[in-house]
Amino acid sequence: MSSTVRIWIGFTAMCLGMSLAVLDIQIVASSFTTIQHYFHVTSDQLSWIQTGYLMAEVIAIPLTGWLTRAVSLRWMFAAATLGFTIASLGCALCNTLEPFIAVRVVQGFCGGMLIPGVFTSVFSLMPERHRVPATALAGTLAVIAPTIGPAIGGYLTEHYTWHWIFLINLVPGVIVAGVVARFVRLGEANFSEFRRIDYRAIGLAAVFLATLELVLKEAPKHDWTGLLVYGAIGICAVTGTGAIWRSLYSPYPFVDLSRFRERTFTLGCVLSFVLGLGLYGSVYLLAIFLGLIRDHSPLEIGKIMIVSGAAQLLTAPVAAWLETRTNPRLLTAFGYSLFAAGLLANGFESVTTDFDGLFWPQVLRGTSVMLCILPATRLALDTLVPGAVADGSALFNLMRNLGGAIGIALVDTILVQRTPIHATALGNRLQAGDADAARIVGLPTQFFHGHDMGPVDDMMRAIAEPLVRKAALVQSFNEAWLVIGALFTLSLLVLPWMRRIPQSPMGPASDKEDLN
């Protein structure tokens, strides 16, 4: 077997492993409410399934380069794939939420190494003449996986059980680990690297992220007061400060924060953070809306959510073509504006909103994803010196995942805190005879004439209260969509402050395209 064939077999297996990790972020989306009912937990507790995975990826991404040097690309990727596979089995075997989240964290940590590992191998494993088709293969699988994820998850959950959204990883995971171990030959292990990494910084960062998420999710429920809240804030502040200090002054930092001295790169990371907030927050919002408000089955949820992924898949080649021919700041502005429009358009839902009302907002968001990622990445990384690009890329990507985790926490906070307020307001309006409130809730408007309704009998109360709760929850959903959309819109303000970079040689430069 020629070395070229061996390289391509190994690289293809790595791409498949990466697609499993990407798929696993989205495949659970259509099954959120099913898993919630299985574990008998609230929706804000359920969100730890995604935030735990994303937080673990935040830790894993900057460690990928160090682990590659320590044990070689071959064994790092094979071990991470095997760990991901074993954790998938563990998820399927859990009967309570707490161990499920713990195993999900392990799965996210291992999965977080697979994505940067693939794109590192494009340059370190592939001969130069094969890099373009290799990048195309990796990029295609990275886009297809989230496109089909919700539909696959819905099908498996509806026709089998939700456990199969994790069990489906077992056979391909074992095969990928074996093929990578057999066919990838690149670099030698350097175990001295294990003595150089700053383990204290890793531990501090892990505790910081966990307590940050705890504060964001729990403190609003306690009005930001109480021993639990103060203790969590204190631990978060101390560990966060410690992690930052060690990362700045350690000779071998866990993550090189000195890259933030470059203004354009820092602002690019802000854009990446906001994109993660929108990407993961919108998937979470749409999935639980369809489950809690519309009472759709997992398969029905997957079929509706595939619209966004299909739009992303169809427009990805156009976005790649535009990225080489358009001023990156203009293209970023267009992409973020389009995504913001898709978020804001969802902010006017009602209890009857379904596929038709969700179609065009999904198209807007799906169309804009690559228009956000590609030019923003070039804006952020092209200002760095060549030796800093690898660390910069890790920081840029982990900021997207961090934004996603915090975005989901923000969504939970809005849903938990605002729903009772909306329910009380709607109840008062109904009591006052407000016909508009009756229409919002879904009650017959002919009985509401703008004056006090008087005492409400038990039968009427039993009919009205569930409708009021659901309508109040929809109003909270709308607020969450609008808040994320507003943050996306505000993020456009950083673009004029980002340094202008040269036009790609594949397209003509034009001063007229500059944002200034």
Side-chain angles (χ1 to χ4, degrees):
M1 182 182 297
S2 69
S3 61
T4 300
V5 173
R6 187 178 69 247
I7 288 171
W8 269 103
I9 291 175
F11 179 75
T12 302
M14 292 177 71
C15 289
L16 292 174
M18 174 200 67
S19 67
L20 291 178
V22 175
L23 181 71
D24 221 71
I25 299 173
Q26 302 284 22
I27 198 172
V28 301
S30 54
S31 306
F32 273 144
T33 50
T34 301
I35 296 173
Q36 177 185 359
H37 295 149
Y38 181 87
F39 288 131
H40 305 290
V41 296
T42 61
S43 58
D44 62 311
Q45 292 174 302
L46 184 74
S47 66
W48 283 101
I49 294 173
Q50 289 295 68
T51 54
Y53 190 97
L54 293 172
M55 286 294 196
E57 281 195 334
V58 169
I59 297 293
I61 288 170
L63 289 177
T64 303
W66 165 69
L67 285 171
T68 299
R69 294 190 299 271
V71 299
S72 77
L73 178 65
R74 169 194 185 188
W75 294 115
M76 182 282 294
F77 201 95
T81 305
L82 192 59
F84 177 87
T85 305
I86 294 172
S88 297
L89 176 61
C91 287
L93 295 177
C94 289
N95 291 316
T96 57
L97 185 65
E98 291 77 11
F100 179 84
I101 292 172
V103 180
R104 181 77 168 153
V105 167
V106 175
Q107 190 188 37
F109 184 82
C110 294
M113 300 180 197
L114 303 182
I115 300 171
V118 166
F119 288 98
T120 297
S121 68
V122 170
F123 297 96
S124 58
L125 183 65
M126 283 290 175
E128 186 171 353
R129 67 183 184 277
H130 292 155
R131 287 175 186 171
V132 171
T135 302
L137 174 63
T140 300
L141 288 176
V143 172
I144 289 177
T147 302
I148 63 176
I152 292 177
Y155 178 85
L156 291 172
T157 300
E158 188 160 323
H159 289 275
Y160 301 96
T161 68
W162 66 264
H163 305 80
W164 278 95
I165 64 180
F166 299 104
L167 294 174
I168 195 177
N169 294 327
L170 300 188
V171 172
V174 171
I175 293 173
V176 166
V179 172
V180 169
R182 171 69 178 83
F183 289 95
V184 174
R185 297 284 189 273
L186 182 68
E188 296 294 332
N190 181 10
F191 297 115
S192 64
E193 290 285 340
F194 285 107
R195 297 193 297 270
R196 299 170 67 178
I197 193 67
D198 191 344
Y199 293 102
R200 291 182 183 176
I202 297 172
L204 288 169
V207 175
F208 164 68
L209 291 172
T211 52
L212 174 64
E213 192 70 16
L214 184 65
V215 167
L216 292 172
K217 290 172 71 65
E218 298 297 325
K221 302 177 189 176
H222 298 83
D223 296 321
W224 294 87
T225 60
L227 184 61
L228 172 65
V229 174
Y230 296 147
I233 291 175
I235 294 171
C236 182
V238 170
T239 54
T241 302
I244 292 172
W245 186 87
R246 294 195 68 89
S247 295
L248 286 173
Y249 296 105
S250 172
Y252 303 104
F254 152 62
V255 59
D256 192 354
L257 297 180
S258 65
R259 304 303 172 205
F260 285 124
R261 294 181 181 132
E262 165 53 51
R263 184 185 68 191
T264 297
F265 172 75
T266 301
L267 295 177
C269 286
V270 171
L271 290 174
S272 184
F273 179 91
V274 172
L275 179 61
L277 190 150
L279 279 173
Y280 297 112
S282 62
V283 169
Y284 178 67
L285 266 172
L286 184 56
I288 60 176
F289 175 85
L290 292 170
L292 295 179
I293 303 300
R294 299 301 301 149
D295 296 316
H296 281 308
S297 70
L299 183 57
E300 290 170 337
I301 294 173
K303 288 178 178 178
I304 294 173
M305 293 183 67
I306 204 172
V307 171
S308 179
Q312 179 182 340
L313 181 64
L314 292 173
T315 56
V318 178
W321 183 86
L322 286 172
E323 199 272 335
T324 62
R325 292 164 173 82
T326 308
N327 181 287
R329 290 199 291 181
L330 275 181
L331 196 59
T332 301
F334 178 67
Y336 273 70
S337 298
L338 207 61
F339 202 107
L343 292 167
L344 296 172
N346 269 128
F348 304 93
E349 297 167 343
S350 70
V351 292
T352 59
T353 300
D354 214 297
F355 179 83
D356 291 342
L358 300 170
F359 180 83
W360 287 110
Q362 284 199 89
V363 169
L364 289 173
R365 293 198 301 274
T367 301
S368 63
V369 169
M370 298 307 291
L371 296 174
C372 294
I373 293 176
L374 295 178
T377 302
R378 187 152 72 94
L379 279 170
L381 301 184
D382 272 15
T383 57
L384 300 178
V385 297
V389 171
D391 287 334
S393 178
L395 272 172
F396 184 84
N397 285 287
L398 72 84
M399 287 298 291
R400 184 165 62 244
N401 279 22
L402 183 60
I406 292 177
I408 292 173
L410 174 64
V411 166
D412 276 340
T413 297
I414 293 172
L415 296 183
V416 171
Q417 296 295 303
R418 296 292 296 167
T419 300
I421 296 173
H422 289 305
T424 300
L426 283 171
N428 291 337
R429 290 173 63 187
L430 290 174
Q431 184 66 44
D434 189 332
D436 285 337
R439 178 184 51 78
I440 292 170
V441 169
L443 292 171
T445 58
Q446 63 266 29
F447 299 112
F448 297 82
H449 305 292
H451 54 77
D452 190 271
M453 299 292 291
V456 179
D457 60 59
D458 292 340
M459 181 177 294
M460 185 62 186
R461 188 180 301 277
I463 294 172
E465 283 185 348
L467 297 176
V468 169
R469 284 196 299 269
K470 181 173 283 191
L473 184 56
V474 170
Q475 291 185 332
S476 297
F477 273 107
N478 290 342
E479 286 188 352
W481 285 112
L482 294 174
V483 166
I484 299 175
L487 291 173
F488 248 83
T489 304
L490 289 173
S491 71
L492 295 171
L493 296 177
V494 310
L495 287 170
W497 300 94
M498 299 181 76
R499 186 188 308 171
R500 185 184 177 193
I501 63 173
Q503 184 79 18
S504 171
M506 294 184 67
S510 173
D511 291 339
K512 295 180 181 178
E513 291 179 329
D514 191 43
L515 285 176
N516 288 331

